[in-house]
């Protein structure tokens, strides 16, 4: 997901999937529901469930962080609607968080060796940088098949078709996220 797409997270649906996984003691992944008007749907409202590995190769405990995120919002009485919202209840924008993110990155750059001192974090880590491009590149390098990447990263199909109608396969149309989870988490798992 790019930064702006994360803002489209439906909190009630995220809580539902998180609870479902917890009841099954299945911490391998959590599906983030993204709701919005997508170009590929001709502006119609749609929802994508994006399964993300519960634990990545770089040992990011995504499932645990999702539990913490949802739990912290619940402590403030925030249990549905947009997961990221402004004080008036409207959906937040990625730009609303940019100062905090850059301040933290610059602090880490100054106090640790995690980020090279010559790196301009406002350029290299900016919202204009496509996380999807990174995911596709990294997953390919790590040996995830193009077909599996395409299942998770369907935007490539839409981009490749330009103005023409998108033709999706039966796999794209009828695959159920929970049944395909083991396959769909492969791109995020290798990160």
């Amino acid at each position: 997901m790019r930064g702006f797409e994360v803002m489209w997270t439906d909190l009630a649906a995220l809580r539902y999937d998180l609870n479902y996984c917890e009841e099954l003691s299945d911490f391998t992944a959590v599906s983030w529901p993204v709701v919005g008007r997508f170009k590929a749907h001709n502006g119609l409202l749609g929802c994508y469930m994006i399964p993300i590995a519960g634990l990545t190769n770089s040992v990011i405990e995504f499932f645990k962080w999702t539990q913490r995120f949802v739990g912290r919002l619940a402590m403030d009485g925030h249990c549905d609607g947009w997961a990221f919202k402004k004080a008036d209840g409207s959906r937040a924008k990625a730009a609303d968080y940019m100062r905090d993110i850059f301040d933290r990155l610059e602090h880490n750059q100054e106090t640790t060796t995690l980020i090279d001192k010559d790196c301009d974090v406002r350029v290299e880590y900016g919202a204009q940088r496509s996380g999807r491009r990174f995911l596709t590149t990294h997953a390919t390098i790590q040996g995830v098949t193009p077909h599996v990447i395409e299942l998770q990263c369907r935007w490539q199909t839409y981009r490749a078709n330009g103005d023409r109608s998108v033709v999706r396969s039966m796999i794209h149309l009828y695959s159920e996220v929970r049944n395909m989870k083991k396959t769909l988490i492969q791109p995020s798992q290798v990160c």
Side-chain angles (χ1 to χ4, degrees), residues 27-187:
F27 308 110
T28 58
V30 61
S31 293
W32 276 65
V34 179
V35 177
R37 299 186 186 284
F38 300 96
K39 288 185 280 186
H41 291 168
N42 297 318
L44 299 174
L45 188 65
C47 178
Y48 284 115
M49 296 295 285
I50 302 173
I52 301 173
L55 179 66
T56 67
N57 277 355
S58 56
V59 196
I60 297 172
E61 297 177 282
F62 197 81
F63 196 95
K64 183 186 289 185
W65 282 104
T66 301
Q67 289 174 311
R68 289 178 181 171
F69 173 70
V70 168
R72 180 64 185 102
L73 292 176
M75 287 173 38
D76 291 338
H78 184 187
C79 297
D80 58 13
W82 300 114
F84 302 93
K85 63 183 178 180
K86 297 179 182 185
D88 67 1
S90 64
R91 186 182 74 219
K93 294 181 166 71
D96 298 335
Y97 298 93
M98 294 310 291
R99 182 175 178 192
D100 292 332
I101 292 168
F102 286 135
D103 287 351
R104 173 61 65 178
L105 287 170
E106 289 170 344
H107 172 77
N108 288 344
Q109 184 179 35
E110 292 169 10
T111 60
T112 71
T113 58
L114 294 173
I115 302 172
D116 188 279
K117 302 297 184 209
D118 295 329
C119 175
D120 182 347
V121 295
R122 293 184 184 261
V123 172
E124 296 302 321
Y125 295 95
Q128 73 280 4
R129 303 291 293 181
S130 173
R132 296 184 298 189
R133 182 178 300 145
F134 161 78
L135 177 70
T136 301
T137 302
H138 187 73
T140 300
I141 291 167
Q142 294 299 315
V144 178
T145 66
H147 176 72
V148 170
I149 294 169
E150 183 62 27
L151 283 174
Q152 178 69 327
C153 307
R154 289 177 271 183
W155 63 85
Q156 292 179 357
T157 301
Y158 305 137
R159 184 179 61 224
N161 282 298
D163 294 330
R164 298 185 313 260
S165 297
V166 175
V167 178
R168 295 182 206 106
S169 71
M170 296 295 276
I171 292 173
H172 287 108
L173 292 172
Y174 297 110
S175 295
E176 206 282 319
V177 168
R178 289 195 176 115
N179 293 334
M180 293 281 296
K181 182 165 57 171
K182 186 175 180 180
T183 299
L184 292 174
I185 66 171
Q186 288 177 20

